[in-house]
Amino acid sequence: MTNVQKAWEEKKEITVDALAALPSDARVLIDIRDEAAFAHGTVPGAEHLNPLELQQGGYDLPEDKLIVCICMWGKISLGLAENLRQQGYTAVSLRGGYALWLQKKIEAEAAAAAEDDRRLKHIENSLRKKYKRKISGKFVETICDYHLVQPGDKIAVCISGGKDSMLMAKLFQELKRHNKIPFELVFLCMDPGYNEMNRRIIEENAKLLQIPLTFFSTDIFESVFHVEESPCYLCAKMRRGYLYRKAQELGCNKIALGHHFDDVIETNLMSMLYSGAIRTMMPRVKSTSCPGMELIRPLYRIREADIKSWRDDNGLYFIQCACKFTETCSTCHTDGTTDSKRLEVKKLIAKLAASNPQVPGNIFHAMENVNLDTVLAYKQNGEDHSFLENFEE
């Protein structure tokens, strides 16, 4: 006799809460209501069996598990459980039956929904009040200054499941709710091969934040898994291509990505240090592969530290990287456990900012303050230009 059987050997009933605490492999659930009632709904994992046949020993039930009998109100199942105990089984009746189980389920769901509503209001209020200057204000400022949203736009807000894209989705919702400019939103989430847990985290966060996701699936993770050189670069390129095509298919003219201020300045510095070029992420980019499509970056001026603070203040948990390379991919970690060029630059900026807090802002503003009279050469529209061109004038 198992420990579970010993614990219930002398008892006739089990409560809904006690049933929920039992390991699923330690009990067998038997629903003895009629077939129509069973088809309408039952306790998850319950099997429909005929009560008369059970009384006559017509079923081969496991002798090493607790048998839980379920009827509508927990009355008829009491007699059946007694009969099964006389047959040598360890059997109990579910107190209150399926009706009480269903009532408690509805109450628990209502309580969870109320808590989700409370959390959502807190999250949205934090963007309107505490983080208005550092997040919401900068979001609107970026959109206005770079003309990212225009009347008639249909924007695919691309959701990766991370903190940046989820925040971007909420900010767009707020903008849509309070802005007079007519535009449409599609919250587009590509599943490139997430495992079940990561997919569920994305779905649960979207549910909490009331973001109506439009999912579509690809096999990108599987395609790049065996690529030895630059799999992350290939993955990112393929993801971008799929997003463009899906957005175009849905009638969108823009896709919005969640790159923030820190991504921008890190890219600036990386281009100078490792590519020998002055180049940055632009807030708006016209697609060369999908005519008529634009890429926009509305988090362009929002600091990553402020995004993390918003996330932590609201007790939110998001996935960071859900690919098969997560444990070894150098672009997936920022905790110092891996080595990458972006991580090196991130650490360098942090070190410089520790002694001079103006450094991050100066790197950003340097891209807005390029004086062509003081550079050796530059490119424009694909053509090379030198300072010597006008030197003698």
Side-chain angles (χ1 to χ4, degrees):
M1 182 176 288
T2 65
N3 290 334
V4 169
Q5 287 175 300
K6 289 178 181 178
W8 293 94
E9 186 179 12
E10 302 298 327
K11 298 176 183 178
K12 296 181 179 181
E13 291 182 302
I14 185 171
T15 64
V16 173
D17 292 338
L19 176 62
L22 280 181
S24 59
D25 60 353
R27 80 288 195 278
V28 173
L29 308 182
I30 296 175
D31 191 325
I32 62 170
R33 296 173 300 148
D34 61 58
E35 291 185 5
F38 178 81
H40 189 69
T42 189
V43 178
E47 182 181 1
H48 179 253
L49 297 180
N50 186 294
L52 293 178
E53 293 187 32
L54 281 166
Q55 289 177 340
Q56 297 169 4
Y59 294 101
D60 185 18
L61 302 176
E63 297 179 357
D64 60 344
K65 294 184 180 181
L66 176 67
I67 310 298
V68 180
C69 301
I70 304 168
C71 68
M72 190 62 189
W73 305 104
K75 302 298 184 183
I76 299 174
S77 54
L78 264 174
L80 178 61
E82 175 63 29
N83 179 278
L84 291 175
R85 286 196 295 274
Q86 291 174 4
Q87 294 182 41
Y89 296 107
T90 307
V92 292
S93 171
L94 178 61
R95 182 180 299 170
Y98 175 71
L100 183 58
W101 178 88
L102 183 60
Q103 178 185 331
K104 286 184 171 290
K105 178 177 182 289
I106 292 172
E107 290 173 351
E109 290 176 347
E115 173 61 14
D116 284 349
D117 286 343
R118 185 198 65 77
R119 288 191 67 195
L120 178 62
K121 287 179 181 178
H122 184 273
I123 290 166
E124 292 178 342
N125 283 335
S126 73
L127 291 174
R128 295 169 191 156
K129 296 177 181 179
K130 182 176 182 178
Y131 292 96
K132 182 176 181 179
R133 183 175 65 85
K134 292 185 176 181
I135 292 180
S136 302
K138 290 187 179 297
F139 178 80
V140 173
E141 177 186 284
T142 300
I143 284 176
C144 293
D145 288 353
Y146 298 126
H147 301 187
L148 301 188
V149 178
Q150 296 165 329
D153 279 345
K154 186 173 183 179
I155 303 169
V157 181
C158 299
I159 310 293
S160 66
K163 66 185 190 310
D164 309 322
S165 61
M166 284 293 192
L167 170 62
M168 178 174 65
K170 282 311 296 180
L171 291 170
F172 262 119
Q173 277 189 331
E174 289 291 295
L175 183 68
K176 176 73 173 173
R177 188 176 299 162
H178 302 291
N179 201 285
K180 296 181 181 180
I181 298 175
F183 68 97
E184 295 181 60
L185 296 172
V186 175
F187 298 99
L188 190 58
C189 186
M190 178 179 62
D191 183 343
Y194 293 134
N195 62 40
E196 183 179 346
M197 180 182 294
N198 283 317
R199 171 86 178 227
R200 188 164 65 250
I201 290 172
I202 295 173
E203 291 172 337
E204 288 300 318
N205 280 325
K207 180 182 176 182
L208 170 64
L209 298 174
Q210 292 189 3
I211 299 169
L213 296 183
T214 298
F215 262 106
F216 72 103
S217 298
T218 68
D219 60 353
I220 292 177
F221 284 171
E222 191 63 37
S223 298
V224 303
F225 183 61
H226 299 291
V227 176
E228 294 184 1
E229 294 187 10
S230 303
C232 295
Y233 170 79
L234 178 60
C235 178
K237 187 174 181 180
M238 291 177 68
R239 286 161 72 115
R240 186 79 54 84
Y242 274 107
L243 287 170
Y244 269 130
R245 287 192 290 274
K246 188 64 178 180
Q248 198 170 47
E249 177 187 315
L250 294 172
C252 300
N253 65 311
K254 292 178 179 176
I255 69 169
L257 299 184
H259 295 121
H260 48 66
F261 176 93
D262 296 74
D263 293 323
V264 175
I265 64 172
E266 288 161 15
T267 300
N268 293 353
L269 209 53
M270 286 174 66
S271 295
M272 294 176 64
L273 297 176
Y274 302 114
S275 300
I278 297 177
R279 192 166 49 231
T280 188
M281 284 181 173
M282 299 295 286
R284 287 179 69 179
V285 179
K286 289 184 177 181
S287 172
T288 55
S289 58
C290 292
M293 289 287 291
E294 268 189 37
L295 181 154
I296 60 174
R297 295 183 171 102
L299 303 189
Y300 205 72
R301 293 176 177 171
I302 300 176
R303 303 284 182 107
E304 185 177 27
D306 294 325
I307 298 176
K308 289 180 177 179
S309 180
W310 168 80
R311 175 199 65 192
D312 297 342
D313 275 357
N314 288 287
L316 296 168
Y317 171 76
F318 302 107
I319 65 171
Q320 180 174 0
C321 178
C323 75
K324 295 183 178 181
F325 298 94
T326 298
E327 294 183 1
T328 57
C329 172
S330 60
T331 64
C332 300
H333 298 275
T334 56
D335 58 4
T337 60
T338 59
D339 183 29
S340 74
K341 298 305 179 187
R342 182 169 292 276
L343 182 57
E344 286 179 6
V345 170
K346 183 183 287 288
K347 288 180 177 179
L348 174 60
I349 294 173
K351 183 176 181 181
L352 294 172
S355 57
N356 182 358
Q358 303 302 317
V359 165
N362 288 342
I363 297 173
F364 183 91
H365 293 302
M367 304 307 296
E368 301 176 313
N369 191 27
V370 177
N371 185 345
L372 294 182
D373 292 332
T374 61
V375 298
L376 292 173
Y378 64 94
K379 287 186 178 182
Q380 188 172 34
N381 298 325
E383 294 184 4
D384 292 325
H385 298 272
S386 169
F387 81 100
L388 292 173
E389 290 178 6
N390 302 310
F391 185 75
E392 301 296 340
E393 295 182 3

